[in-house]
Amino acid sequence: MTRYLAGRVFALAVTFVLAALAVFAVLDLLPGDPARVMLGIGATDDALAALRHDLGLDRPAHVRLLGWLGDLARGDLGVSHTYGMPVGSLVLDRLAVTAPLALLALALTVALGVPAGVAAAARRGRAADLAILAVSQIGLAVPGFWLGILLILAFGVGLGWLPAGGFPGWREDPAGALAALVLPAFALALAQGAVLARITRAAMLETLNEDYTRMALAKGMGRARLLWRHALPNALVPVLALIGLQVTFLIAGAIVLETVFTLPGLGRLVLQAVTQRDLVVVRGVIMVLVVGAVLIAFTVDALHALLDPRLRAEGRP
Amino acid sequence: MRRGGLALGLGLIGAIVAMAALSLVWTPYPVDAIDVAGRLAGPSATHWLGTDHFGRDILTLILAGARTAVVVGLIAVGAGMAVGVAVGAAAAGAGGVLDEALMRLSDAAFAFPAVVSALLITSLFGAGTLNAMIAIAIFNVPVFARTTRSAARQAWRRDHVRAAVALGKSRLAVTRDHVLPTIAGVLVVQGALQFGLAILAEAALSYLGIGAQPPEPSWGRMLNDAQTYLFGQPWLALYPGLAISLAVLGCNLVGDGLRDGLDPRLRRVVRRLAT
């Protein structure tokens, strides 16, 4: 177990460094002058030289790389030129919207996907199974941002039950803030829930075919107990592996849905930074998004190893 | 039921490709024809699906949007597949340290969904269809690398591949002549699923304003425009969303239908993702 985890931690560290290198390479090594990009075509030579110095662009690439890695290790993401604030505090501010949104979406994903998958597997080949498969096929095809727009039409504009966009702030109006996240979280969760339902169904069908479940059935165990207590915990192992991967897509989806619902989260921050050419913010936010996704995926992986002894013995399947 | 799904999927993809091809030679109105007096009109005999806020014909934009979706999807998935298959086949063929290194690289690449790489690329090079395509291709590389590696590792254990090795063929020749043909079916299935995801990603990027730029027609862009008029002209948000959904549904049905025809051992190698 320790050895398996040590291996995963090493892989995690490698992934971090590679991700940091990729972000560094895109903004620092590719052709194009970041200072020119930030100041625009009309910038004076003096202003360009000053900004290049501020960004450290007058230093050699390897010095800048080491500086960037060192800053990252200390949690220093630099200072935004448009906001005049440290990127770290900007990120913390916006994380108060994005993190709850992603978590709510993840909870909805699991709440929709796992029961649907179990129900479909329990009624394999019958109407309920086919209906769940058909709905999941639709869930996979409908773009989250279009679903968001349709939900705004139905619940925001039509029925007026939930806000059509905007965010009142947690401190000012906690209930309103939570309400503002419900529709975007649902729009995010439908596609991921559909994938999860399909994986859960497949995993359940496999465990329901194992000798121990047949044995339990032969001994007269009730169906509900067999499904939820015996088959599901064993089927959850591949399901958990998928959830780790889904986190990345939930975060990417959150960037889009924050725009649909005009939520002041990390996605809005980075999109605005892209249009305002604030490369320091772009780089910092993307690093935070990537590190967040990788860390969560790692946690899920470690849980996965705790639950499945086979993994510890053989490494990843 | 499964056959029906495959047929429906092929029909949907066929329709989208036909729309894209048709838009090359004919559209009801020119793509950039603006008619301010007739803007935001509902469906009528002259404009079957109505007009947008510039008075452009919606049907024309939907047809031309199919072209953008198909072209971006084909190029992005094709490029991602070319690189990903090479990486995955090299990892499976070489094994050992190279395998481990390539898979760690692909793990790191997995942390960059298309939206995130598109943001990075756009911040430096500006928004546009080409940059969106590059971002979607980057997202496809690790997907194909992992699928290829898993399938190729199984193929290396097959008798006909071992026989080729025993005959003294080089690992490169075995990969080219025996491993890749064995796993081609898996790659086609994964390609169909990824094509659907690429259409979704292109639409999302264009919706965000970092994909296709006006006046280039794109379904995602149309949805962004439509959101401004959601209160007065909600039907504007209907057609582009339906077009995207049907295109993606078609790809997924084809992918699933073909997957059921694969060797069961290879079937589980296919990755089913959602964006």
Side-chain angles (χ1 to χ4, degrees), chain B residues 33-40 51-57 214 225 229:
Chain B
I34 288 174
D35 171 18
V36 180
R39 66 199 286 266
L40 297 172
T51 58
D52 76 351
H53 58 296
F54 287 127
R56 287 177 297 186
D57 180 52
D225 293 339
Y229 303 95

Side-chain angles (χ1 to χ4, degrees), chain B residues 7-8 28 82 86 116 150 158 178 189 193 202 232 242 244 250 255 258 262:
Chain B
L8 177 62
V116 175
S150 309
R158 300 266 181 100
H178 301 283
V189 171
L193 295 173
E202 187 277 324
L242 263 180
I244 301 167
L258 292 177
L262 289 177

Side-chain angles (χ1 to χ4, degrees), chain A residues 26 137 140 146 206 249 260, chain B residues 124 207 227 237 256 268 272 274:
Chain A
V26 169
Q137 200 65 270
L140 277 169
W146 186 47
E206 219 163 273
F249 294 101
V260 179
Chain B
L124 205 59
Y207 172 81
Q227 209 181 345
D256 285 350
R268 37 179 74 229
R272 197 71 147 85

Side-chain angles (χ1 to χ4, degrees), chain B residues 60-266:
Chain B
T60 300
L61 294 178
I62 292 281
L63 289 177
R67 191 168 66 208
T68 309
V70 170
V71 169
V72 170
L74 276 181
I75 296 181
V77 174
M81 188 192 268
V83 178
V85 168
V87 170
V97 181
L98 183 66
D99 181 21
E100 189 61 26
L102 287 176
M103 284 306 110
R104 286 289 81 79
L105 261 177
S106 99
D107 272 353
F110 248 127
F112 289 84
V115 173
V116 175
S117 5
L119 284 168
L120 262 180
I121 296 172
T122 307
S123 61
L124 205 59
F125 298 113
T129 311
L130 177 68
N131 292 338
M133 251 183 311
I134 294 173
I136 299 170
I138 291 175
F139 157 71
N140 271 296
V141 169
V143 177
F144 281 103
R146 294 223 150 238
T147 303
T148 305
R149 174 180 178 265
S150 309
R153 276 165 66 103
Q154 290 190 22
W156 276 99
R157 292 196 288 268
R158 300 266 181 100
D159 286 341
H160 71 281
V161 177
R162 292 160 70 139
V165 175
L167 283 172
K169 277 195 168 189
S170 74
R171 295 188 84 78
L172 185 65
V174 173
T175 298
R176 187 189 60 217
D177 299 338
H178 301 283
V179 173
L180 288 181
T182 307
I183 67 170
V186 174
L187 298 179
V188 170
V189 171
Q190 189 76 63
L193 295 173
Q194 295 308 117
F195 187 65
L197 286 183
I199 290 178
L200 271 179
E202 187 277 324
L205 295 178
S206 297
Y207 172 81
L208 288 178
I210 55 178
Q213 296 297 301
E216 200 179 342
S218 154
W219 294 336
R221 187 89 225 151
M222 290 172 77
L223 276 175
N224 189 325
D225 293 339
Q227 209 181 345
T228 317
Y229 303 95
L230 209 51
F231 289 84
Q233 286 78 23
W235 65 83
L236 285 175
L238 218 57
Y239 311 117
L242 263 180
I244 301 167
S245 303
L246 290 175
V248 179
L249 180 65
C251 296
N252 288 344
L253 287 175
V254 168
D256 285 350
L258 292 177
R259 191 185 57 174
D260 290 339
L262 289 177
D263 180 327
R265 279 170 297 177
L266 286 175

